[in-house]
Amino acid sequence: MDTATFNKRIKRVVITEEEIRAKIKEVGKQLSKEYDGKPLLVVSILKGAFVFMADMTRELSVPHEIDFMIASSYYEGTVSSGVVNIKLDLAHTDISNFHVLILEDIVDTGRTLKDVVHLLKGRKPLSIKVVTLLDKPDRRLVEFNPDISLFTIPDYFVIGYGLDCGEFFRNLPYIAEYNTEI
Ligand code: IMP
């Protein structure tokens, strides 16, 4: 993609760097209190959550380990097959001694996280919680609600801060609306 096209695709900034930073600090404090004294494993779903993961873990003042997954769900129409396609599984083979905190970039239909949570619950962690940077509740196709969402947005496609369109735009330091009109 050439730079002129790249720039034209960024329609407008929806959430600024400063707004993201402030919210992550606030939630980071809340989570640090909640997990104080508990064995914590922070898991992020790649690739979209990599920036959020990097910023959020640095706002956690309590000791914790990190791990990554690449996962997507198989669906027939709106019905989940209940099977998660794991392209990369956790490096931790045993999570039964951890409180698991999943960091996700965006909850859209809810399919991915519903299935990932189901899968990880089966591995018997001490607890499991989902924190998403963005939530698009209008798009939900399955029953799933994150425990914490930093920002709720209407139904439009967003890019930046880890989120992509065709693998580009992850590097934008803010969340922007994607311009579909060009
Ligand atoms: P879900 O399983 O439908 O909830 O979708 C989860 C994945 O779809 C997210 O982790 C994103 O990678 C992708 N996704 C959904 N909405 C957007 C968006 O507006 N921008 C970029 N990626 C999105």
Side-chain angles (χ1 to χ4, degrees):
M1 183 181 295
D2 63 78
T3 309
T5 309
F6 181 90
N7 288 326
K8 271 190 226 157
R9 294 279 182 203
I10 305 166
K11 189 169 177 182
R12 68 189 173 99
V13 177
V14 179
I15 306 167
T16 65
E17 262 185 278
E18 291 72 25
E19 286 170 323
I20 298 171
R21 200 177 308 130
K23 197 78 190 169
I24 288 181
K25 260 192 198 304
E26 179 193 318
V27 174
K29 264 196 196 128
Q30 181 187 331
L31 293 171
S32 299
K33 262 193 208 144
E34 193 174 328
Y35 288 104
D36 190 21
K38 297 179 177 167
L40 174 62
L41 180 65
V42 183
V43 170
S44 95
I45 316 287
L46 295 173
K47 301 176 191 172
F50 82 105
V51 181
F52 181 39
M53 172 74 144
D55 284 350
M56 182 56 99
T57 58
R58 284 178 294 172
E59 293 300 333
L60 294 178
S61 56
V62 291
H64 61 278
E65 296 184 36
I66 62 163
D67 211 337
F68 299 95
M69 276 183 107
I70 300 181
S72 54
S73 333
Y74 289 121
Y75 270 74
E76 283 177 30
T78 56
V79 182
S80 169
S81 61
V83 180
V84 201
N85 177 24
I86 305 286
K87 279 201 196 137
L88 174 77
D89 207 338
L90 300 176
H92 288 77
T93 48
D94 182 4
I95 57 169
S96 62
N97 291 321
F98 284 104
H99 292 272
V100 171
L101 177 65
I102 300 178
L103 299 182
E104 176 63 311
D105 55 353
I106 186 164
V107 183
D108 186 39
T109 65
R111 292 164 169 170
T112 310
L113 275 178
K114 188 173 176 148
D115 285 355
V116 165
V117 167
H118 179 75
L119 174 86
L120 293 184
K121 269 190 180 159
R123 299 181 187 176
K124 309 268 182 260
L126 296 171
S127 72
I128 189 157
K129 190 170 262 231
V130 174
V131 176
T132 186
L133 175 70
L134 300 168
D135 190 6
K136 285 202 271 193
D138 297 347
R139 293 260 309 162
R140 208 71 95 246
L141 291 177
V142 296
E143 209 176 297
F144 177 80
N145 286 312
D147 297 283
I148 298 175
S149 53
L150 276 64
F151 301 97
T152 300
I153 59 168
D155 176 17
Y156 45 69
F157 201 81
V158 286
I159 49 173
Y161 198 79
L163 288 124
D164 76 310
C165 186
E167 291 300 327
F168 289 103
F169 307 102
R170 295 192 195 276
N171 56 307
L172 300 177
Y174 47 78
I175 307 283
E177 183 176 356
Y178 182 72
N179 188 355
T180 50
E181 281 151 27
I182 57 158

